[in-house]
Amino acid sequence: MLLIQKPPQLPAGALLARLHAINSEHGYLPEDEIRRTASDLAVPLSQIYSIATFYTSFSLEPRGRHHICVCQGTACYIRGGGQILEKLEGTLGVCAGHTTKDQQFTLETVYCVGSCSMAPVVRVDEDTYGRLKPDRVARILKKYQPGEESDT
Ligand code: FES
């Protein structure tokens, strides 16, 4: 005789799929959506937050129009990735992990984007910039300012 009944198991990936859908719709995971997901799927909030903070594709705050990833992997770091990050933080006025007040840029660090031969590397949306020097940062950011954006 079974004295303790096991709770029903979620189908594999159901929680991740739901979080991806929310993140795609809003650009981040709003708290009310996280709470609704926890209730709907009978999952502890702590489990959702541990997933949301583990995967870099999820964000707990609204992201900017453009997503900047500054590589701090070994190859990039020893070739000046730290100075590139400092320059970006100073120019944008935000620390890594945050979004500018005008919602134009979200600045994040990553650890290797697979372009080590081009170190140091920064990605802005789908564009990759390699062999960067801090004095190129302002010119790159200008391309993504309203009225300056192009397909090149
Ligand atoms: S360490 Fe930066 S691309 Fe590999």
Side-chain angles (χ1 to χ4, degrees):
M1 182 173 154
L2 185 61
L3 297 177
I4 301 174
Q5 191 169 6
K6 287 176 71 175
Q9 294 292 308
L10 275 177
L15 177 55
L16 272 177
R18 173 102 172 228
L19 294 178
H20 275 295
I22 294 167
N23 204 71
S24 294
E25 182 180 341
H26 299 279
Y28 75 110
L29 299 172
E31 184 179 342
D32 61 330
E33 292 282 2
I34 290 175
R35 290 186 180 281
R36 186 174 306 121
T37 299
S39 173
D40 290 353
L41 301 180
V43 173
L45 274 174
S46 59
Q47 184 179 347
I48 295 178
Y49 277 106
S50 79
I51 290 171
T53 55
F54 179 79
Y55 292 104
T56 57
S57 60
F58 297 131
S59 176
L60 295 175
E61 63 180 55
R63 290 190 178 194
R65 180 182 166 105
H66 299 288
H67 188 209
I68 303 172
C69 293
V70 188
C71 186
Q72 298 292 286
T74 304
C76 288
Y77 190 80
I78 62 173
R79 292 186 184 147
Q83 289 99 324
I84 302 295
L85 177 59
E86 282 178 22
K87 183 71 175 183
L88 279 162
E89 288 178 331
T91 303
L92 296 171
V94 294
C95 295
H98 295 280
T99 299
T100 57
K101 283 186 181 151
D102 64 1
Q103 301 290 310
Q104 192 68 8
F105 297 102
T106 294
L107 180 64
E108 292 184 338
T109 55
V110 292
Y111 295 89
C112 196
V113 294
S115 303
C116 303
S117 64
M118 296 169 50
V121 171
V122 167
R123 296 192 77 194
V124 183
D125 301 331
E126 302 302 318
D127 304 326
T128 301
Y129 300 93
R131 297 185 184 92
L132 274 183
K133 301 282 184 213
D135 61 0
R136 281 184 56 205
V137 164
R139 196 165 9 132
I140 290 169
L141 290 178
K142 190 171 189 292
K143 291 174 57 177
Y144 299 91
Q145 294 294 343
E148 300 284 339
E149 298 170 74
S150 67
D151 295 331
T152 56

